[in-house]
Amino acid sequence: MAQPSDKALVPFVSVDHMMGLVHHLGIEEALRGLADYIEADFRRWEKFDKSPRVASHSDVGVIELMPTSDGEAYGFKYVNGHPKNTSEGLQTVTAFGLLADVYTGYPVLLSEMTLLTALRTAATSAVAAKYLAPDGARCMAMIGNGAQAEFQSLAMKAICGIDTVRLYDIDASATRKVARNLAGAGLRVVECKSAEESIEGAQIITTCTADKQYATILTDNMVGSGVHINAIGGDCPGKTELAPEILYRSDIFVEFPEQTRIEGEIQQMAPDHPVTELWQLISGAVPGRRGSDAITLFDSVGFAIEDFSALRFLRDAIAGSGFFTPLDLLADPDDPRDLFGMLRRAAPRSVRPGQPPAALGPTARGSTPSVG
Ligand SMILES: NC(=O)c1ccc[n+]([C@@H]2O[C@H](COP(=O)([O-])OP(=O)(O)OC[C@H]3O[C@@H](n4cnc5c(N)ncnc54)[C@H](O)[C@@H]3O)[C@@H](O)[C@H]2O)c1
């Protein structure tokens, strides 16, 4: 069988590879590593192309493309959000993504990003909380116990040092699942019967529910002073989690205002409602928490640069490892202009119903004497 040349091959990280890599590194180490890459990229924010993601909405969900570039590498993620999916045995969020070399335009990494998105979302939340949560925050309420919940909890432990999570979900089986998955992870896990109960004594409140509508997971009277809110689930037009009164009382931090004003909690506010960009906080340009009584809110929607950071982290983490497959992704004729010749030489193949196609002949990929 004709072997593709090195130029044709792109490292591909499958779901299986990703799971292997995370186990190899240890999940908390992976989250800390991702957080370092995210922080590094937020510190060089000006270098990046930035635009709100391209969203295609339907009645049941959204499909989004999230591109960015730092001038040397280009990345994008394909991601969906379909809250009804879990009732059909499918994930609410799935994703894959690609990193490319700007100089040649050639892809240098293709990866699953369903797991990577959960990891990067959690790492970003924890980076924001590291700068914004009250000193000595040790307890987090985790409202919404779906696919993201364990990742959020472990990132807050690994990066911010929380030791307790108080879980609540309208579906008690989701809460039991998280409690089971976090057993032995070094966190005290408390299963709660209401959102109110879950926020008792919590300095960090994470909302991570999925509902394609304006929901009110937190009402104004539930949120006391001196807490940090990590609002993850409101990330689409018409899909929010917080009562607007909370936003009036909060210092609001966002990833990219042009996107968050469309998708985040602040879509409920006037278009000029004051917000601070997270990168300014991380780069030291603006202060974070104003005092122990302040309410800080990270109005997270997920931004392309976080995925770019995650892909960069992954590219470096798999180098020299077995956690990828070289994928025959790019056509690479020996003569770059003889793309058709390469196709033509590959033509004679027998295909039997239900059988894989026969292997290509030895000269199929190269430019050695073209046939006919
Ligand atoms: N900000 C980001 O970067 C980012 C990244 C990934 C996912 N998300 C969003 O986070 C949300 C959660 O994602 P997921 O993959 O964990 O979804 P999921 O469907 O796996 O879990 C959502 C959970 O929320 C629970 N829930 C729904 N309404 C609730 C309510 N009123 N009170 C308490 N619990 C409630 C559901 O029972 C479910 O267990 C989604 O809305 C998703 O779009 C945001």
Side-chain angles (χ1 to χ4, degrees):
M1 162 148 182
Q3 292 305 312
S5 75
D6 285 351
K7 286 184 235 162
L9 299 176
V10 175
F12 168 60
V13 178
S14 67
V15 173
D16 197 50
H17 290 130
M18 186 65 74
M19 295 194 292
L21 177 68
V22 173
H23 278 288
H24 172 70
L25 297 173
I27 185 158
E28 292 194 32
E29 199 45 45
L31 287 161
R32 278 191 288 267
L34 273 165
D36 288 345
Y37 276 66
I38 292 167
E39 276 200 58
D41 284 343
F42 273 57
R43 286 207 180 90
R44 56 189 194 109
W45 195 253
E46 296 91 341
K47 290 227 178 313
F48 285 91
D49 287 346
K50 293 174 280 295
S51 57
R53 57 187 157 197
V54 182
S56 173
H57 294 278
S58 69
D59 290 344
V60 288
V62 64
I63 293 174
E64 296 164 328
L65 290 178
M66 303 172 68
T68 188
S69 169
D70 66 356
E72 289 182 13
Y74 171 94
F76 80 84
K77 180 170 83 172
Y78 167 103
V79 63
N80 77 297
H82 285 66
K84 56 96 192 152
N85 271 8
T86 49
S87 63
E88 298 167 15
L90 301 171
Q91 295 275 287
T92 297
V93 175
T94 66
F96 69 91
L98 183 147
L99 203 61
D101 171 28
V102 167
Y103 182 68
T104 59
Y106 268 37
V108 296
L109 175 67
L110 177 67
S111 180
E112 88 79 38
M113 288 191 80
T114 305
L115 283 161
L116 195 58
T117 293
L119 291 161
R120 77 80 157 120
T121 303
T124 307
S125 286
V127 167
K130 185 173 90 171
Y131 287 89
L132 293 172
D135 284 346
R138 290 288 170 268
C139 176
M140 176 171 86
M142 181 72 234
I143 303 175
N145 300 156
Q148 313 296 319
E150 296 89 339
F151 297 89
Q152 288 284 326
S153 305
L154 288 172
M156 290 292 182
K157 171 178 182 282
I159 293 157
C160 304
I162 66 156
D163 57 25
T164 304
V165 272
R166 298 177 62 83
L167 306 173
Y168 173 67
D169 195 292
I170 41 168
D171 179 351
S173 70
T175 302
R176 281 197 298 277
K177 179 254 338 178
V178 176
R180 220 171 30 243
N181 284 339
L182 291 181
L187 281 166
R188 195 168 83 89
V189 178
V190 184
E191 297 178 49
C192 301
K193 299 223 159 1
S194 66
E196 287 81 355
E197 185 188 340
S198 73
I199 64 179
E200 277 169 27
Q203 298 90 23
I204 301 174
I205 303 173
T206 293
T207 55
C208 193
T209 65
D211 203 346
K212 201 170 165 51
Q213 62 171 357
Y214 294 108
T216 309
I217 308 302
L218 295 179
T219 56
D220 192 27
N221 61 349
M222 287 166 71
V223 179
S225 61
V227 296
H228 173 65
I229 304 172
N230 172 41
I232 301 299
D235 60 357
C236 259
K239 177 167 174 263
T240 57
E241 295 181 305
L242 307 185
E245 295 77 17
I246 299 171
L247 306 187
Y248 285 112
R249 294 163 56 213
S250 303
D251 294 329
I252 303 174
F253 294 80
V254 303
E255 292 141 314
F256 183 57
E258 289 84 338
Q259 181 178 312
T260 313
R261 291 197 192 278
I262 301 169
E263 303 178 350
E265 297 300 325
I266 56 170
Q267 66 185 276
Q268 306 180 80
M269 313 304 276
D272 58 353
H273 190 82
V275 297
T276 305
E277 295 183 52
L278 196 56
W279 72 269
Q280 295 178 300
L281 174 67
I282 290 172
S283 62
V286 298
R289 169 164 286 277
R290 282 181 296 114
S292 56
D293 284 350
I295 300 171
T296 52
L297 164 62
F298 175 38
D299 185 0
S300 162
V301 292
F303 188 57
I305 293 174
E306 294 146 29
D307 298 306
F308 181 94
S309 311
L311 287 166
R312 262 192 343 102
F313 167 80
L314 183 63
R315 181 191 57 192
D316 295 350
I318 63 168
S321 82
F323 295 117
F324 66 92
T325 309
L327 194 67
D328 178 14
L329 188 67
L330 306 174
D332 181 40
D334 283 358
D335 173 354
R337 289 171 302 184
D338 195 18
L339 182 65
F340 186 82
M342 185 184 83
L343 171 67
R344 192 171 170 208
R345 286 188 294 279
R349 316 177 77 186
S350 58
V351 180
R352 287 209 206 105
Q355 298 290 312
L360 298 181
T363 61
R365 302 285 289 236
S367 59
T368 32
S370 88
V371 187

